């Protein structure tokens, strides 16, 4: 497995897709912790107006306490009939979700996240920048990057440019070396948040990154309409780049903490597996052997692997298990660079 991870880390293009599982392991500070879907249900179900909002919700949704299906039902009802009371409840529910996901702060323990960024981000300058896609709203990776002295390219530019602009993903960090030679800066990676962020705010027709709680949050809340919302900006830019990255000839996709339940994200992954023979896929999930609970996509991937598709590797484990197992690509690159130097000297000597 370490050899597979090393091959992924040193492929020409490295894509990482993370989900809720990478945040659930962050130790809580006071009572602030990463919420799962059950936590969100509990917070929403005690709001004033819940009894009214749930009046005509199917019994199976209430019994399952499925927050995603519950909010989807409310949104579908509002699309047919504009109800002020129901609309107010939905706004309260979304505000509660925003607050619950804003748990990362200066006191949060993010050692595993920092180590993860070092291992995926310190690749050879000859390779493409690592692209980290996440469905999480929280700021765990941003905070970890700041502590680990990483530069993040996230579509918002520097402090003087806080509005989202897709073209900013095509910029990079370089430093001027001797004789005015430009050298790619180390510790740089792309961060693309597929479902929005707790610090994104709608500002007219644009999206802006803000400090503190946004007045008009830009989030794809848990609901069945994720697919439709992903075709709006800035999500459209993120999804487009995700699909383009999956088509590259020598690309590795490392998936951790993502349950393969979001159709709009799973579809391009499955299409890439079918059409891109140069794609290498590694999936890490603690419940990957639980056939009764896992998604149909994971079952399909397992069958492909068992049938001899060596591009696919499935690893049972948590986020921290993966990080501890991952080799250090920067050390590998130094060893490779040293081997290249010795080889060149030997060739000169024999010549």
């Amino acid at each position: 497995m370490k050899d597979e991870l090393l091959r992924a880390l040193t492929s020409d293009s490295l894509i990482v897709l993370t989900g809720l599982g990478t945040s659930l392991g962050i130790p809580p500070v006071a009572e602030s912790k990463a919420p799962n879907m059950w936590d969100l249900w509990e917070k929403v179900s005690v709001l004033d107006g819940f009894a009214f909002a749930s009046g005509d919700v199917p019994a199976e949704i209430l019994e399952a306490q499925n927050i995603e299906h519950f909010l989807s039902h409310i949104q579908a009802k509002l699309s047919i009939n504009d109800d002020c009371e129901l609309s107010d409840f939905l706004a309260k529910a979304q505000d509660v979700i925003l607050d619950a996901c804003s748990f990362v702060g200066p006191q949060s323990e993010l050692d595993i996240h920092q180590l993860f960024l070092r291992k995926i981000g310190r690749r050879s300058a000859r390779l493409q920048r690592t692209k980290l896609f996440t469905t999480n709203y929280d700021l765990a990776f941003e905070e970890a990057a700041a502590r680990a002295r990483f530069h993040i390219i996230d579509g918002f530019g520097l402090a003087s440019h806080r509005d989202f602009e897709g073209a900013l993903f095509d910029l990079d960090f370089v430093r001027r070396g001797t004789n005015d030679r430009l050298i790619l800066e180390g510790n740089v990676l792309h961060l693309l948040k597929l479902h929005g962020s707790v610090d994104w705010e709608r500002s007219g027709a644009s999206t802006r990154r803000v400090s503190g709680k946004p007045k008009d949050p830009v989030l794809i809340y848990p609901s069945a309409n994720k697919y439709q919302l992903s075709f709006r900006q800035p999500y459209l830019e993120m999804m487009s780049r995700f699909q383009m990255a999956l088509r590259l000839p020598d690309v590795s996709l490392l998936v951790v903490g993502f349950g393969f339940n979001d159709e709009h994200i799973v579809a391009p992954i499955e299409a890439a597996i079918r059409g891109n023979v140069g794609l290498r896929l590694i999936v890490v999930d603690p419940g990957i052997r639980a056939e009764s609970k896992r998604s149909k996509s994971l079952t399909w991937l397992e069958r492909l692997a068992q049938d001899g598709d060596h591009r696919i590797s499935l690893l049972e484990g948590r986020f921290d298990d993966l990080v501890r197992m991952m080799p250090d690509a920067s050390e590998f690159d130094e060893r490779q660079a040293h081997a290249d130097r010795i080889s060149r000297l030997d060739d000169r000597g024999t010549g």
Side-chain angles (χ1 to χ4, degrees):
M1 198 64 223
K2 288 185 178 180
D3 290 340
E4 286 296 321
L5 288 168
L6 184 57
R7 278 190 281 271
L9 290 172
T10 54
S11 59
D12 185 61
S13 300
L14 174 61
I15 310 172
V16 180
L17 173 62
T18 74
L20 178 60
T22 60
S23 292
L24 289 177
I26 299 174
V29 177
E31 297 183 359
S32 182
K33 65 174 184 176
N36 56 31
M37 290 300 180
W38 165 257
D39 296 325
L40 296 180
W41 173 270
E42 283 198 317
K43 292 178 182 296
V44 170
S45 64
V46 298
L47 289 173
D48 291 339
F50 178 79
F52 168 78
S54 60
D56 62 346
V57 174
E60 57 268 22
I61 293 179
L62 297 177
E63 291 170 2
Q65 300 182 332
N66 189 312
I67 185 66
E68 186 165 314
H69 291 171
F70 176 69
L71 294 179
S72 297
H73 182 84
I74 293 177
Q75 290 173 341
K77 189 175 179 180
L78 286 172
S79 67
I80 299 173
N81 182 26
D82 189 13
D83 186 311
C84 293
E85 188 173 356
L86 191 60
S87 180
D88 289 344
F89 174 81
L90 179 61
K92 290 179 185 176
Q94 292 176 342
D95 193 55
V96 163
I97 292 172
L98 175 65
D99 288 340
C101 294
S102 303
F103 64 93
V104 174
Q107 305 303 318
S108 299
E109 184 180 317
L110 298 170
D111 294 348
I112 293 296
H113 284 71
Q114 292 183 64
L115 181 57
F116 182 63
L117 293 182
R118 292 189 185 101
K119 290 188 174 182
I120 66 171
R122 290 180 174 175
R123 302 193 328 132
S124 168
R126 295 173 295 178
L127 304 175
Q128 298 290 324
R129 296 293 196 190
T130 300
K131 294 177 176 61
L132 172 56
F133 294 85
T134 183
T135 59
N136 296 342
Y137 309 140
D138 62 67
L139 302 179
F141 285 115
E142 290 93 329
E143 181 68 23
R147 297 181 191 180
R149 300 294 189 269
F150 263 78
H151 297 294
I152 293 292
I153 298 174
D154 61 358
F156 288 92
L158 302 176
S160 59
H161 185 102
R162 302 181 71 87
D163 286 356
F164 179 82
E165 185 178 333
L168 293 173
F169 283 114
D170 298 322
L171 302 183
D172 212 327
F173 287 84
V174 297
R175 57 187 172 89
R176 193 178 299 277
T178 56
N179 299 322
D180 284 341
R181 187 165 65 97
L182 297 180
I183 304 169
L184 282 173
E185 184 70 14
N187 292 7
V188 178
L189 55 79
H190 292 203
L191 177 63
L192 300 97
K193 307 188 81 168
L194 297 171
H195 287 171
S197 180
V198 295
D199 64 345
W200 291 5
E201 179 179 276
R202 185 75 62 191
S203 177
S206 63
T207 299
R208 178 169 298 174
R209 191 174 56 200
V210 297
S211 299
K213 186 175 180 178
K215 297 177 182 178
D216 186 6
V218 180
L219 296 176
I220 295 181
Y221 291 96
S223 68
N225 66 348
K226 293 178 183 177
Y227 190 88
Q228 291 88 341
L229 290 174
S230 66
F231 285 94
R232 301 178 184 176
Q233 292 291 15
Y235 316 116
L236 179 60
E237 180 71 31
M238 311 286 184
M239 286 301 304
S240 297
R241 290 186 178 268
F242 183 57
Q243 294 180 41
M244 288 189 292
L246 288 171
R247 298 190 189 110
L248 295 173
D250 178 23
V251 57
S252 292
L253 172 61
L254 174 61
V255 182
V256 56
F258 177 75
F260 283 79
N261 295 313
D262 291 325
E263 181 184 352
H264 61 293
I265 298 175
V266 172
I269 294 176
E270 292 185 352
I273 293 170
R274 288 187 173 94
N276 187 356
V277 295
L279 171 70
R280 182 181 293 106
L281 172 66
I282 299 176
V283 181
V284 183
D285 191 292
I288 208 160
R289 296 181 186 271
E291 295 185 21
S292 61
K293 297 181 180 179
R294 68 187 183 187
S295 69
K296 292 180 180 179
S297 293
L298 287 177
T299 300
W300 178 66
L301 290 174
E302 182 183 47
R303 289 174 181 169
L304 284 175
Q306 289 175 339
D307 286 344
D309 193 333
H310 300 296
R311 301 174 301 159
I312 300 171
S313 300
L314 307 179
L315 174 64
E316 184 178 40
R318 302 184 306 271
F319 178 49
D320 57 335
D321 298 323
L322 168 68
V323 175
R324 294 187 178 96
M325 180 183 290
M326 291 173 69
D328 193 322
S330 62
E331 290 180 2
F332 173 81
D333 188 64
E334 284 301 316
R335 292 196 300 270
Q336 185 63 50
H338 176 68
D340 291 343
R341 287 192 292 269
I342 296 299
S343 177
R344 286 195 296 270
L345 287 175
D346 291 341
D347 290 342
R348 291 170 188 165
T350 56

